[in-house]
Amino acid sequence: MNASPQATRQPVRAASAAFIGTMIEWYDFYIYATAAALVFGELYFPSHDPFVSTMASFATFAVGFFARPLGGVIFGHLGDRIGRKKALMTTLMMMGVATVCVGLLPSYTKVGVLAPVLLVLLRVVQGVAVGGEWGGAVLMAGEHAPKGRRTFFASFAQLGSPAGLILSLIAFRAVTSMPHDDFIAYGWRLPFLASAVLLAVGIFIRIGVNESPEFQREKEAKRTVELPIAEVFRSSGALVALCIGANTIGIAGVYFTNTFMISYTTQNIGVSKSLILDCLFAVAIIQFLSQPLAAWLAEKIGGARFLKLAAFAAMLSPYPMFTLVQSGSRLSMIVGIALAVVCMASFYSVIAGFVSGVFPVRVRYSAISLSYQVCGAIAGGLTPLAGTSLAHKFTGQWWPLAVFYTCLAGISLSCIVALDALKHRRADAPEALPAR
């Protein structure tokens, strides 16, 4: 019996919805990151020392990452128990509402200490939302994929990250061209308020996607479990630990080359805010174009082999990046950052499909969300803080930052090697093995 036209369109529709939904969520996340680097220190954490204000601002950025594992557990449970689609609709609503509220939040001079407190609370809501979003988006795309195409289709959820970055940079590039006083008074709020429109678009698109067919089969066969997260710890603890480490460079690298690089170049090299935002915009386009190519290539040569090569290249990439960035010229900065970003983004594009095939369907949402979000809390949340601290301690020297980046990529490489070895040792358990 032939599949209905609607059923045959669902893989493409699911991949498109994963892309659009994650693009919106990451837009919301990135505009906060950009504002944290540019204005939050001044508006919500005023201090006589810009370093102290920047560190306090990045601390609120880190709070969102620490909330992400909680979101992964909560929505992983809901996604494994009641369905991927319902969980994803909820995360999108939470993120959109919290982001708009940030845009309406009064500054420290208006309401005092209440302002940073509310900012932190809204950041926690954002963190919980994005903590539940990633796993569901990856699974909706990957579990709708035709046989043998999980890696490529799941990569569309990863493609939302550079797309969200591009949108956020466009938004902030527009408002940073305003006079400084206008930018500080209200201009920075406009990208946050625009999220209301994106939220409506995202909800409209996701309504048209069916529930994951793999989850539906598990539910109909009554193979779902009462407490998925407990099952994950009982049967797959070692796999979770390795997947946490494997995700490191894909997460930390983004915030190193984007969030931290904004403050590093403006404060340590002396380039203008508009110049670094222009450079990051060009690099984000390069990332957006390179990720689908990486996913396609990984399907040809094998996911594990590709991830090892990408992680090794990422270990080498920060040295030419910093050499070129130090010049302060537009072209050199674009080329330098792009070298690191292409290596990191190639890894990031493929890792989602790889880890989603490691775990059985009945606990997959919980397991991959926990793995990714715990890594996000540690590697993503602390990377801008660690980078800022190293830049402050080793003023005028970039090599400690490059070594730090190499170590991040090395963690991912070692964990991929271990996962691949474990895969071969567990060849008699197909359900637990990475999808090819």
Side-chain angles (χ1 to χ4, degrees):
M1 186 178 188
N2 293 330
S4 67
Q6 182 180 6
T8 58
R9 288 195 298 267
Q10 277 296 307
V12 174
R13 184 175 294 176
S16 300
F19 164 64
I20 296 296
T22 53
M23 177 185 71
I24 294 168
E25 295 247 3
W26 284 115
Y27 165 82
D28 290 348
F29 217 68
Y30 284 135
I31 58 173
Y32 189 103
T34 306
L38 294 178
V39 298
F40 282 169
E42 178 180 348
L43 290 178
Y44 294 99
F45 306 95
S47 169
H48 61 86
D49 187 346
F51 169 71
V52 173
S53 295
T54 300
M55 288 293 284
S57 180
F58 278 150
T60 70
F61 180 65
V63 165
F65 282 92
F66 297 141
R68 282 167 62 170
L70 176 61
V73 171
I74 293 171
F75 289 101
H77 176 84
L78 295 175
D80 284 329
R81 290 288 298 146
I82 66 175
R84 282 59 161 134
K85 181 175 178 177
K86 292 178 182 177
L88 284 174
M89 296 295 288
T90 305
T91 61
L92 191 60
M93 282 290 297
M94 287 177 62
M95 177 62 90
V97 171
T99 301
V100 172
C101 287
V102 170
L104 298 172
L105 192 64
S107 66
Y108 187 92
T109 58
K110 301 289 186 183
V111 295
V113 72
L114 182 63
V117 169
L118 290 175
L119 183 65
V120 170
L121 290 176
L122 290 171
R123 183 61 177 164
V124 169
V125 174
Q126 278 193 325
V128 170
V130 83
E133 164 71 20
W134 179 84
V138 167
L139 294 186
M140 283 293 277
E143 291 178 353
H144 273 93
K147 186 176 180 180
R149 304 300 311 279
R150 183 192 298 275
T151 295
F152 183 73
F153 275 74
S155 74
F156 279 83
Q158 305 293 72
L159 197 58
S161 178
L165 177 59
I166 290 169
L167 282 183
S168 72
L169 290 172
I170 290 173
F172 263 93
R173 184 64 183 88
V175 296
T176 52
S177 64
M178 302 169 63
H180 179 73
D181 290 345
D182 291 341
F183 173 67
I184 294 298
Y186 68 88
W188 70 268
R189 299 178 184 274
L190 300 179
F192 289 85
L193 299 178
S195 184
V197 177
L198 297 177
L199 172 63
V201 172
I203 290 174
F204 175 77
I205 291 173
R206 281 194 168 166
I207 285 176
V209 181
N210 294 338
E211 180 56 83
S212 156
E214 290 188 30
F215 173 79
Q216 283 291 88
R217 287 194 291 270
E218 291 291 300
K219 188 174 182 180
E220 290 168 5
K222 301 187 185 303
R223 288 195 293 262
T224 57
V225 295
E226 287 296 322
L227 197 58
I229 194 66
E231 174 69 13
V232 169
F233 282 116
R234 186 189 66 79
S235 63
S236 305
L239 287 175
V240 168
L242 288 173
C243 287
I244 290 171
N247 275 296
T248 300
I249 191 59
I251 296 174
V254 172
Y255 297 101
F256 189 98
T257 56
N258 290 290
T259 306
F260 166 70
M261 195 59 73
I262 293 174
S263 64
Y264 175 77
T265 54
T266 55
Q267 295 179 18
N268 294 78
I269 301 178
V271 305
S272 66
K273 294 175 181 177
S274 59
L275 175 57
I276 184 59
L277 290 177
D278 284 348
C279 292
L280 291 178
F281 177 72
V283 171
I285 293 174
I286 294 170
Q287 178 183 353
F288 183 81
L289 296 174
S290 66
Q291 282 193 196
L293 292 176
W296 174 82
L297 181 59
E299 283 194 340
K300 301 299 181 184
I301 69 173
R305 180 183 300 174
F306 183 89
L307 287 169
K308 292 173 189 176
L309 292 172
F312 181 72
M315 292 178 68
L316 304 177
S317 66
Y319 304 96
M321 175 179 70
F322 276 106
T323 300
L324 292 166
V325 164
Q326 295 300 121
S327 73
S329 74
R330 185 186 305 266
L331 181 59
S332 294
M333 291 173 68
I334 290 173
V335 173
I337 298 172
L339 285 173
V341 165
V342 167
C343 297
M344 173 274 297
S346 296
F347 184 94
Y348 180 72
S349 178
V350 175
I351 191 65
F354 184 82
V355 300
S356 70
V358 169
F359 302 99
V361 176
R362 65 182 181 274
V363 297
R364 187 175 286 163
Y365 199 145
S366 297
I368 70 168
S369 294
L370 181 66
S371 302
Y372 186 85
Q373 304 309 340
V374 168
C375 182
I378 299 170
L382 296 181
T383 292
L385 287 170
T388 302
S389 180
L390 285 171
H392 182 71
K393 183 175 182 179
F394 298 94
T395 304
Q397 301 180 66
W398 57 260
W399 67 264
L401 296 167
V403 171
F404 173 56
Y405 192 94
T406 294
C407 291
L408 295 173
I411 292 170
S412 288
L413 176 59
S414 60
C415 289
I416 291 296
V417 169
L419 278 170
D420 194 35
L422 187 61
K423 176 192 76 172
H424 289 99
R425 286 202 302 270
R426 297 177 60 175
D428 59 335
E431 187 182 32
L433 302 184
R436 295 184 180 274

